[in-house]
Amino acid sequence: MNFVVEENRCITPNSKDKSIFYTTFSLPKESDEILEYQPGDWLTIQPQNSPQMVSALLAELDLTGNESIELRRSGLVTVQQALENHLELTQLNPAILNKLQRQLGLGDWADRQAMMDYANGRDILDLLALYPQLKAQGVEFLNWLSPLSPRYYSIASAPIASASNKQQTVSILYKAVKYQNLGRQRFGVASNYLQDTQPGQILQGGLKPNPTFKLPEKASTPIVMIGAGTGLAPFIGFMQHRAIQQAAGQDLGGALLFFGETYQQTNCLFCDEFRNWQKQGLVETFYAFSRDQADKVYVSNRLLEQGDRLWDLLNNQAEFYICGSQAKLAESVKDALMRIFQQQGAMSEEQAQNYWRCLKQEKRLQMDVY
Ligand SMILES: Cc1cc2nc3c(=O)[nH]c(=O)nc-3n(C[C@H](O)[C@H](O)[C@H](O)COP(=O)(O)OP(=O)(O)OC[C@H]3O[C@@H](n4cnc5c(N)ncnc54)[C@H](O)[C@@H]3O)c2cc1C
Ligand SMILES: NC(=O)c1ccc[n+]([C@@H]2O[C@H](COP(=O)([O-])OP(=O)(O)OC[C@H]3O[C@@H](n4cnc5c(N)ncnc54)[C@H](OP(=O)(O)O)[C@@H]3O)[C@@H](O)[C@H]2O)c1
């Protein structure tokens, strides 16, 4: 599916620690497809590797790019095309280490976990630095590499909102992945490709339904949205949807948003919009700005402060949503909610675990974590 970039804007222009972008797409005018999605679904983007990454690989392998290569999924292409569009260069798939160990006897990783640990934060240039003998394989070396995967993004808009503007659109919120490792600056392939896109540019991607991150069937059911960083994305879609429901005179249940970022002044994502939604009685916001004071404050702290309120909401059949980082946010939010279950519901740890599982099974606790 082709998407046209309508707007691409950095929403944290003054941030010291990260660049977060909000990008909106439409379908090409000649397209006979429709933008069919619901808040909570995903958009996928098929990225292209940066010219810098492609040039670095060509130089390391002493290739011009005009050579040909037959790729399993894409057929016969030039090496330039393979590196630009078809092969994963910014990530080192642990499966490559496994194949090199088994087939060439390179490396002595004890198990898959050791390979995963090694691969994390490394890319294909690191692999060539580790085993310079692989460079002599030239074009053949590319056969070890994995196909370039599409990246998933939580949709940050509602179709009703975009339909009311006449043109169908879909938006995403993403962080430009940029980090220093082993003395080299690294850039995530998709987020940096997206960051550089211009209005009118055509990108390849798709829409993927996410049946386990959906607003309640009844608009009157209360909701609790918990997110940090780009984890705010689906909640923008949820709020746009509920604003339309409110305008249509529907009876809406309460909505709470718990959101965490680094600094209030520069990283309060969609703050004006949420302030307006709060004024309209659509949501109540609880913010945690982690770096605005000496001690870290996270959404988990804000949840604990509202323990009795959250417990009441759970008893009123509220639905809970968690979105953001798997490793950081999801763990600490689970811990906070488990403490609330134990304190407010007089549960043992085991009972709280069972209650957590039960909420998940009943889809009253839905997670979009990555
Ligand atoms: C279901 C789902 C929903 C998602 N929704 C969103 C969303 O709404 N918004 C969003 O921004 N992202 C979202 N993501 C993440 C997104 O899909 C991409 O993974 C992300 O944009 C990075 O892709 P990239 O191609 O730019 O980076 P890649 O080229 O894939 O590089 C990422 C790799 O860099 C390494 N890395 C990254 N940061 C560091 C660091 N600080 N130190 C060391 N190594 C590091 C890691 O090994 C990581 O695997 C979602 C992912 C999933 C699975
Ligand atoms: N796998 C991938 O390829 C990939 C790529 C991109 C993003 N991601 C994930 O997506 C996340 C998105 O990055 P982001 O910058 O938007 O968000 P983030 O790193 O999750 O940071 C958002 C806020 O959450 C805070 N935080 C840190 N630890 C926390 C915890 N245990 N509980 C609650 N809040 C916590 C941060 O505080 P402090 O920073 O001040 O501690 C910050 O204020 C990344 O953390 C990463 O895990 C993964």
Side-chain angles (χ1 to χ4, degrees):
M1 193 168 189
N2 283 339
F3 293 105
V4 183
V5 178
E6 286 292 322
E7 192 193 3
N8 180 23
R9 102 188 123 90
C10 177
I11 61 165
T12 56
N14 302 315
S15 173
K16 285 182 282 193
D17 63 308
K18 63 184 89 172
S19 297
I20 295 185
F21 289 77
Y22 188 71
T23 304
T24 299
F25 305 95
S26 62
L27 291 179
K29 283 195 181 65
E30 64 282 5
S31 170
D32 49 15
E33 289 175 296
I34 46 169
L35 268 181
E36 201 170 2
Y37 69 93
Q38 291 176 17
D41 287 346
W42 295 301
L43 178 95
T44 61
I45 290 291
Q46 184 62 48
Q48 285 180 3
N49 282 303
S50 69
Q52 293 79 358
M53 195 67 189
V54 172
S55 305
L57 254 294
L58 287 174
E60 287 295 322
L61 297 169
D62 199 16
L63 298 172
T64 64
N66 296 325
E67 303 82 355
S68 296
I69 178 168
E70 180 83 28
L71 295 176
R72 240 177 307 126
R73 291 196 194 169
S74 323
L76 191 67
V77 293
T78 65
V79 161
Q80 178 80 25
Q81 287 167 333
L83 292 175
E84 250 171 43
N85 300 315
H86 301 295
L87 297 172
E88 198 72 68
L89 306 182
T90 57
Q91 286 190 16
L92 175 55
N93 184 345
I96 299 176
L97 299 179
N98 192 23
K99 275 196 286 181
L100 288 173
Q101 185 161 304
R102 275 190 295 111
Q103 295 179 28
L104 301 185
L106 296 176
D108 57 356
W109 291 280
D111 53 24
R112 187 168 159 74
Q113 187 57 49
M115 291 176 189
M116 283 166 64
D117 293 344
Y118 184 82
N120 187 32
R122 287 189 160 85
D123 63 15
I124 299 305
L125 289 172
D126 294 317
L127 180 67
L128 287 172
L130 180 66
Y131 298 123
Q133 63 269 44
L134 291 172
K135 294 180 191 177
Q137 293 187 354
V139 175
E140 290 299 306
F141 170 76
L142 303 185
N143 291 320
W144 295 102
L145 306 189
S146 310
L148 182 53
S149 301
R151 277 20 179 201
Y152 277 67
Y153 294 93
S154 314
I155 289 177
S157 58
I160 309 177
S162 48
S164 65
N165 298 335
K166 299 252 179 342
Q167 186 186 28
Q168 289 187 326
T169 58
V170 59
S171 306
I172 56 173
L173 185 74
Y174 58 92
K175 180 170 85 165
V177 171
K178 183 175 163 198
Y179 61 98
Q180 187 81 22
N181 197 17
L182 303 170
R184 182 156 53 83
Q185 183 70 51
R186 285 128 200 276
F187 300 93
V189 57
S191 55
N192 283 276
Y193 170 64
L194 278 165
Q195 158 184 355
D196 291 337
T197 56
Q198 300 298 322
Q201 193 172 331
I202 296 199
L203 270 60
Q204 278 180 11
L207 294 169
K208 301 276 177 214
N210 178 3
T212 57
F213 207 81
K214 284 285 153 291
L215 276 165
E217 271 176 32
K218 282 197 260 165
S220 57
T221 304
I223 60 170
V224 176
M225 301 171 281
I226 306 164
T230 51
L232 186 70
F235 304 137
I236 299 168
F238 280 13
M239 291 310 303
Q240 289 182 348
H241 185 81
R242 284 167 62 89
I244 302 283
Q245 288 178 317
Q246 189 190 51
Q250 289 195 37
D251 175 25
L252 292 183
L256 305 190
L257 172 79
F258 290 85
F259 177 65
E261 249 300 340
T262 47
Y263 305 98
Q264 177 162 28
Q265 196 163 13
T266 52
N267 293 41
C268 189
L269 314 181
F270 274 74
C271 231
D272 293 344
E273 288 82 351
F274 274 92
R275 199 176 300 116
N276 285 336
W277 285 321
Q278 179 147 315
K279 273 193 208 144
Q280 293 167 38
L282 275 167
V283 68
E284 196 177 334
T285 52
F286 298 88
Y287 289 112
F289 293 100
S290 54
R291 304 187 194 174
D292 274 347
Q293 57 286 305
D295 294 327
K296 293 270 178 165
V297 174
Y298 289 147
V299 282
S300 34
N301 301 96
R302 296 283 178 258
L303 291 169
L304 289 170
E305 288 162 12
Q306 299 298 322
D308 47 356
R309 184 119 183 249
L310 293 171
W311 185 247
D312 283 348
L313 281 164
L314 275 168
N315 289 324
N316 281 312
Q317 299 307 307
E319 299 197 6
F320 279 54
Y321 302 86
I322 304 172
C323 185
S325 140
Q326 162 85 63
K328 296 187 271 183
L329 175 84
E331 287 300 311
S332 77
V333 167
K334 181 176 179 186
D335 288 349
L337 291 177
M338 294 284 291
R339 274 176 64 185
I340 293 171
F341 301 165
Q342 288 174 61
Q343 285 166 2
Q344 303 286 331
M347 291 182 185
S348 66
E349 198 184 328
E350 196 189 343
Q351 285 170 323
Q353 286 283 4
N354 286 339
Y355 187 52
W356 172 271
R357 270 195 292 275
C358 181
L359 288 173
K360 281 185 85 173
Q361 266 167 13
E362 290 174 2
K363 289 197 182 168
R364 287 180 53 208
L365 174 62
Q366 303 185 35
M367 299 172 73
D368 179 14
V369 291
Y370 42 90

